[in-house]
Amino acid sequence: MKLRINFFLILLMACTESKDKPFQNNENLKNENPNRITIINSLDKTYPYIIYKELTLEELLKGEVVSDTIYSPDTLFFKLNESVQLINITPTDEFNPQSFLVQTGDTLNINSIKNKLHINRVENGKLIPIKWDYSHIIPKSKLFLKLDSLESFFLIEEKIANLNSFLPNIKNSDEWDLKLPEHLKQIDESYSILIDSINRNDNQLNKAYNQLIQKDQILRTINVLSIVNNKLETEKFYKKLFTLEYFKNRYLSDIYGIYYLRKFHFNNDITLPEVYNREFKEYPEVISRYFKFRLISSMVEKKYNRKTILNFLNKYKEEYGDFSPLENILNEIEYGVETSPDLALIDYESNVSNWEEKKKQWKGKIIYLDFWASWCAPCLRAMPYSKDLKEKLASKEIVFVYLALNDKEDMWRNSAQKNQIIENNFFIKNSKSSEFISNYNINAIPRYMIFDKNGMLIHEDAPGPETKEAFEILSELLKD
């Protein structure tokens, strides 16, 4: 059976400094890193690859790293949480993960044959294919063929854009509620028989199999319940899902994530702060904390104001004693930095200043202000037009200023040099805590502003340099 639900993963990426050459001293690497696997990228000049694993809710809430990035060519040591574990590898240019069941001490090799990606385990100098899918554990037995047949009463499987999708079998909808309890019972019994057959041998491989089988059972059940929409059976199912037995299954974290997204993140009938303040008393403590962590993350994603986010961060810390796993958010919203009405700036030579100081310096000149970032493709596409506009008005009393918003300082410096925009180019140190940004709702870039010769803002959302309007407005202002 194929995995039945697509979902998004928030990947925390980190780079590796390892420079080991492929296949050298492999046995020593295993001995030095008993809880890790070694991944060798033999490809040359390709996109990096993300390697990620699934965490239990407890591991996630401790802030454990879920992923790493391997460049080419390079070698990476990737930590496992169990001696046998499923990992996923995807290129960064597209989200197209492949799954591999690995064990500590394994060495994987990433290569390409006839422009097709191949990932294999290195064993005694040979490359062994180890790509994994659910067909490895879900048998094509009479029991499961019968289950598939019974399921067709509720669902019809169709291929849409090369993806298997499940659609309602509408012709039977009048009998869905009648047939549903028996079908759910059949699902439980079929998977129980399969798990019992595996549990005869108690080892780490079978533990992984048990957890993956349990996940497939849950996905199959969710598929049917999402079609039939039977409130009683749905409540019974989720009451069972939110128990300690399931929390220990690392392969269910994405299912809890999907539940959160559907019930809270995309629910327009209630605000995120209202959801948070409900306290989740009907849920076990670990899922309650998980939901609160996700709610704060959603507030950041949905661009709630900084004051609101800080308030809930402090509530979270007061309740749980620390911010884990919200450390990245602390940096993103500049936690601990006092709010300022001004913009804190540094220039390419690392000189510190602020926006009010710079405006005074340029008094008597029109200011054409460009908010941009090194990662912003539309911003970079507009830069040549900005240079052309600057040249056309070179003899006039005007200054072109570039402020890097929500950027990283090293990336800003590299981009400034590459695009030859060193003069009057500044990095904003308080992008999140500046009231200037929030007061003018600078939520998207590129964004342009025009200030008159006295430093007064006269165009809050000015035309971009690629437009005729920008040249006409600036030319008219320069006549004064």
Side-chain angles (χ1 to χ4, degrees), residues 329-353:
I329 287 177
L330 298 182
N331 294 329
E332 187 173 345
I333 69 165
E334 297 167 7
Y335 185 86
V337 177
E338 290 188 14
T339 301
S340 168
D342 206 349
L343 294 170
L345 308 174
I346 57 172
D347 66 15
Y348 194 80
E349 303 298 329
S350 299
N351 297 309
V352 177
S353 60

Side-chain angles (χ1 to χ4, degrees), residues 7-95:
F7 53 90
F8 294 100
L9 294 174
I10 299 176
L11 301 177
L12 306 173
M13 290 182 284
C15 61
T16 175
E17 297 293 332
S18 175
K19 299 298 177 184
D20 296 270
K21 295 180 180 179
F23 306 107
Q24 286 192 343
N25 299 321
N26 187 47
E27 292 303 320
N28 289 336
L29 296 180
K30 289 183 182 180
N31 294 332
E32 292 171 9
N33 302 282
N35 298 318
R36 302 178 183 181
I37 59 172
T38 304
I39 302 175
I40 300 167
N41 188 352
S42 300
L43 298 171
D44 188 28
K45 297 181 180 178
T46 63
Y47 289 101
Y49 285 82
I50 298 170
I51 297 92
Y52 66 94
K53 59 189 176 182
E54 293 172 83
L55 303 176
T56 65
L57 291 182
E58 287 188 355
E59 290 166 353
L60 180 66
L61 293 172
K62 288 178 183 176
E64 288 199 27
V65 176
V66 70
S67 69
D68 209 336
T69 304
I70 185 168
Y71 296 83
S72 59
D74 206 348
T75 298
L76 170 74
F77 302 130
F78 189 74
K79 179 186 174 184
L80 300 182
N81 296 80
E82 302 194 42
S83 60
V84 178
Q85 190 168 347
L86 197 71
I87 66 165
N88 306 281
I89 301 178
T90 182
T92 53
D93 61 325
E94 61 173 329
F95 186 70

Side-chain angles (χ1 to χ4, degrees), residues 405 435-444 447 449 460:
L405 179 71
E435 291 177 349
F436 185 101
I437 302 300
S438 57
N439 289 343
Y440 291 108
N441 295 314
I442 307 175
N443 295 321
R447 173 81 174 269
M449 293 181 172
E460 184 178 317

